[in-house]
Amino acid sequence: MTAPATPLEQRLAAHLQQLYPERDAAGLARECLQRLGLAADTPSPAPHRNLWDQSDIMVITYGDSLRSDSEPPLRTLSGFLEARLQDCISSVHILPFFPYSSDDGFSVMDYTTVNPSLGDWDDITAISRQFKVMGDLVINHCSSRSLWFENYRAGLEPGAGYFVEVPSEADLGAVVRPRTSPLLREVKTPGGERHVWCTFSHDQVDLDFRNPRVLLEFLGIIRLYLDRGIRWFRLDAVAFLWKIPGTPCINLPETHEVIRLLRLLIEHHSPDAVIVTETNIPNRENLTYFGNANEAHLIYNFSLPPLLINALVSGSCKHLKSWLMTMPPAQYGTAYLNFIASHDGVGLRPAEGLLSDWELQTLISTMQRFGGRVSSRTTAGGESCPYEINISLWDALRGTNARGPDQWQFARFLCAAAIMAALEGVPAYYIHSLVATGNDQARVDNTGSFRSINRHIWRSEDLEAALDSDSHHHRVFEAMRRLLRLRRRQPAFHPNATQYTLHTGEALFSFWRQSIDRRQSIFAIHNVSDQPQSVSLSELNLILTDQWLDLTSGETFENHLAQITLMPYQFLWLTNQSP
């Protein structure tokens, strides 16, 4: 006699029934639990738990962003993080560290092995003992040189039914594409010629989650990552996961169902685990990946990079402020992941509807003037249009639209970092932003990929020398470390603390944060222009009985009616309580 299904089995079966209505959902639920090593009676974690606080700051890096001749890159990275950033960050996102065939790691050949050129699993586990580690679950596609795809071409398992096949004559006109390459690739199989789906490139073949065997494979991979100390999971390109010809094949209901299913299983296995969805799409669509606090714990704030950079090079925060006012506060148990720069470029789709075509073109032209490149995508109508700007953040903030490069690069750069640190959400800083790495044009010439411009590889000895010398790298890095240490001590900067946008004109980007216990308030005021700007403290409605302190300078303000002038790109964090 079959035992009654537990609450976990029932919930899991409900998700599976939506995805695979022709399958035995109860039996498949038991297989899922077995793959993840979960008991059917595992208790559910409490809902709406904040698994983060104001001390949580992430660094984004490749496993070999730093290289040394004397040790594997992951060990070099570990040493750098411990020696230089131990008191500044809590988490590290190590970009794909697996054997790969292209796209700097995002064309995975083997999900179960660390790339030997980087190190091994012991190196990953060692880093996880010091920091929270976020790993990439490259879930939409795998390498054409993977065992799965080789088996597919030979008609063998595992792999024979793992990839999306469509007839060459299928109606794919509505499919949303992030690239300009042909969507389908011809492949010879024992059953004849087939056309497989390739959203990103012909070396990155899309996996078919309509086959539950693919889901089970990834549950086994997730279990391995959990066993090795990874607790944060970045679901790469997950918006494209489910394909139905005749639809846009992005943000489909089945994709959200898969995320809910993964969330259910992962948080039952490890209640401290976190799911982050990487969905480089317009803002309104991006917000749907929170679900009802039952999908992603964190979503990337993809609109922030283009809007913040635009504000700082145009001298106007009009669009940045308008966007911030429309952003709903994240429910407890969810949060925004804020970033300005990453291994990819500055996405332009998240700015759609927020910046006009003229403003986008002005931004693009300015970034090209500062050495940037522009990658394109193909629209549903078959036209090519800008998709992302490829540039290092240090060079992106070299000057302004109107005047070009100027003397305010350092101040502008630090202002950008401060805005991100103060906003609602968890801030994530790219390692090349922390050390102010410039455009790597030589790497672009070598690889032929525009994204290589912001994927410089430092010899660790050279970086250490630069950070210990009188260089802009040293100046930026020390300023960033001070800023991050300061941010980590402020309860009002908890990722879920209250936030209100203030109206202080187009040149001053200002907002108010209040700690969850309501004891600390911070008025964050940032001059985003290259001209001095004044603000009256009376405009901020400071509580007259409190003494107010600028955390960034230590200056106190007893005259609550005082007029304050901020120099170009200067910022103030005014608080009534300094921990």
Side-chain angles (χ1 to χ4, degrees):
M1 181 176 178
T2 304
T6 66
L8 175 56
E9 288 177 309
Q10 292 174 355
R11 292 173 64 188
L12 185 54
H15 291 302
L16 292 165
Q17 184 64 40
Q18 291 295 317
L19 293 168
Y20 310 109
E22 306 300 320
R23 302 289 184 127
D24 172 16
L28 192 52
R30 289 190 291 272
E31 283 192 78
C32 289
L33 293 173
Q34 183 180 15
R35 284 295 179 102
L36 211 56
L38 271 176
D41 59 354
T42 300
S44 298
H48 303 292
R49 297 165 302 126
N50 289 330
L51 301 173
W52 42 79
D53 62 24
Q54 64 272 14
S55 68
D56 279 292
I57 297 173
M58 180 180 289
V59 62
I60 306 166
T61 180
Y62 278 103
D64 64 349
S65 290
L66 309 178
R67 285 184 184 172
S68 171
D69 294 335
S70 61
E71 61 186 354
L74 284 171
R75 214 160 300 164
T76 302
L77 174 64
S78 179
F80 178 82
L81 295 174
E82 291 185 37
R84 299 274 189 172
L85 293 170
Q86 184 80 44
D87 61 346
C88 302
I89 67 167
S90 62
S91 314
V92 55
H93 173 200
I94 307 176
L95 290 154
F97 45 79
F98 317 102
Y100 70 96
S101 55
S102 64
D103 199 16
D104 284 348
F106 285 92
S107 184
V108 179
M109 295 169 62
D110 181 358
Y111 291 88
T112 65
T113 303
V114 174
N115 190 333
S117 68
L118 298 178
D120 56 31
W121 277 116
D122 288 342
D123 295 312
I124 297 294
T125 303
I127 296 174
S128 75
R129 295 192 189 104
Q130 299 293 323
F131 305 94
K132 300 173 186 176
V133 172
M134 181 160 80
D136 282 276
L137 197 65
V138 185
I139 196 169
N140 179 72
H141 51 262
C142 70
S143 169
S144 65
R145 291 172 54 193
S146 65
L147 176 64
W148 290 348
F149 194 65
E150 292 294 337
N151 282 349
Y152 165 80
R153 297 175 71 170
L156 302 174
E157 296 289 356
Y162 283 18
F163 298 92
V164 180
E165 295 180 351
V166 290
S168 60
E169 67 276 9
D171 178 12
L172 304 177
V175 175
V176 172
R177 296 293 314 286
R179 298 289 185 273
T180 56
S181 58
L183 178 60
L184 301 183
R185 170 183 169 174
E186 295 181 7
V187 181
K188 292 181 179 179
T189 73
E193 188 176 87
R194 296 289 185 266
H195 292 83
V196 294
W197 195 293
C198 301
T199 296
F200 291 90
S201 79
H202 282 191
D203 186 46
Q204 295 165 295
V205 190
D206 285 35
L207 293 153
D208 191 353
F209 271 81
R210 295 173 300 181
N211 179 351
R213 298 290 106 189
V214 175
L215 171 66
L216 292 170
E217 288 277 14
F218 273 92
L219 293 181
I221 291 165
I222 289 169
R223 181 179 181 181
L224 170 65
Y225 295 178
L226 288 165
D227 289 346
R228 294 296 185 171
I230 294 172
R231 286 295 179 273
W232 287 42
F233 292 84
R234 178 183 182 271
L235 304 189
D236 176 65
V238 70
F240 300 95
L241 189 68
W242 203 275
K243 284 83 175 175
I244 300 177
T247 75
C249 297
I250 188 172
N251 307 322
L252 295 186
E254 292 84 355
T255 293
H256 288 277
E257 197 71 46
V258 171
I259 297 170
R260 288 191 286 269
L261 184 152
L262 294 178
R263 163 83 178 255
L264 177 68
L265 288 167
I266 289 174
E267 69 180 3
H268 274 77
H269 183 285
S270 298
D272 61 339
V274 171
I275 288 179
V276 183
T277 50
E278 189 267 333
T279 48
N280 190 358
I281 51 180
N283 192 53
R284 185 183 297 273
E285 299 167 26
N286 190 35
L287 288 169
T288 65
Y289 283 87
F290 277 141
N292 185 22
N294 61 349
E295 292 187 32
H297 293 88
L298 282 85
I299 64 171
Y300 279 83
N301 231 338
F302 274 108
S303 295
L304 180 60
L307 292 179
L308 180 50
I309 292 171
N310 181 72
L312 289 162
V313 298
S314 70
S316 169
C317 65
K318 177 176 65 174
H319 297 301
L320 183 63
K321 183 171 64 174
S322 296
W323 163 77
L324 192 65
M325 291 172 64
T326 66
M327 293 295 285
Q331 297 185 52
Y332 281 8
T334 67
Y336 296 106
L337 187 68
N338 295 327
F339 74 110
I340 321 172
S342 73
H343 61 292
D344 287 340
V346 178
L348 296 176
R349 287 209 71 209
E352 290 177 7
L354 302 174
L355 296 178
S356 69
D357 290 345
W358 179 85
E359 288 164 326
L360 278 171
Q361 189 54 55
T362 300
L363 176 62
I364 289 170
S365 297
T366 299
M367 294 300 100
Q368 289 175 320
R369 185 178 180 184
F370 297 162
R373 310 293 186 95
V374 180
S375 299
S376 299
R377 68 180 180 92
T378 301
T379 67
E383 299 176 350
S384 178
C385 71
Y387 177 71
E388 69 178 17
I389 301 168
N390 303 111
I391 193 170
S392 78
L393 186 62
W394 176 247
D395 281 311
L397 299 177
R398 190 188 298 177
T400 64
N401 294 337
R403 296 180 178 85
D406 59 23
Q407 74 272 34
W408 300 110
Q409 185 175 18
F410 171 82
R412 189 181 292 112
F413 188 86
L414 197 61
C415 183
I419 289 172
M420 193 173 82
L423 284 170
E424 175 191 349
V426 176
Y429 294 90
Y430 190 35
I431 193 168
H432 291 302
S433 298
L434 288 178
V435 301
T437 308
N439 291 336
D440 192 338
Q441 300 287 0
R443 189 167 167 82
V444 173
D445 295 339
N446 183 50
T447 65
S449 170
F450 288 168
R451 284 182 166 178
S452 296
I453 200 169
N454 199 25
R455 297 179 180 180
H456 181 72
I457 296 175
W458 277 96
R459 285 186 55 81
S460 66
E461 297 85 354
D462 294 340
L463 179 58
E464 295 288 352
L467 295 181
D468 291 334
S469 69
D470 183 20
S471 67
H472 80 270
H473 302 291
H474 165 80
R475 191 177 173 210
V476 167
F477 188 60
E478 291 307 315
M480 290 292 294
R481 293 210 304 173
R482 179 180 177 274
L483 182 77
L484 300 186
R485 287 194 295 262
L486 186 61
R487 192 260 187 197
R488 299 186 80 189
R489 299 196 298 269
Q490 313 309 320
F493 286 156
H494 186 290
N496 295 94
T498 299
Q499 175 173 284
Y500 283 111
T501 308
L502 304 176
H503 298 282
T504 50
E506 283 194 22
L508 292 176
F509 182 53
S510 309
F511 47 91
W512 174 70
R513 303 293 310 278
Q514 184 182 59
S515 60
I516 292 172
D517 63 10
R518 300 186 179 182
R519 293 182 180 178
Q520 185 190 37
S521 288
I522 295 179
F523 289 85
I525 307 166
H526 313 82
N527 183 357
V528 299
S529 79
D530 60 359
Q531 299 297 314
Q533 301 292 331
S534 296
V535 61
S536 172
L537 292 183
S538 62
E539 296 178 48
L540 305 179
N541 294 321
L542 303 183
I543 299 173
L544 297 181
T545 56
D546 289 350
Q547 184 178 41
W548 293 88
L549 166 75
D550 174 26
L551 290 166
T552 67
S553 67
E555 183 180 358
T556 57
F557 297 90
E558 296 181 0
N559 179 3
H560 294 175
L561 301 179
Q563 189 91 355
I564 300 176
T565 298
L566 283 78
M567 296 303 292
Y569 308 105
Q570 184 184 353
F571 56 93
L572 303 177
W573 288 350
L574 295 176
T575 184
N576 62 340
Q577 183 186 64
S578 179

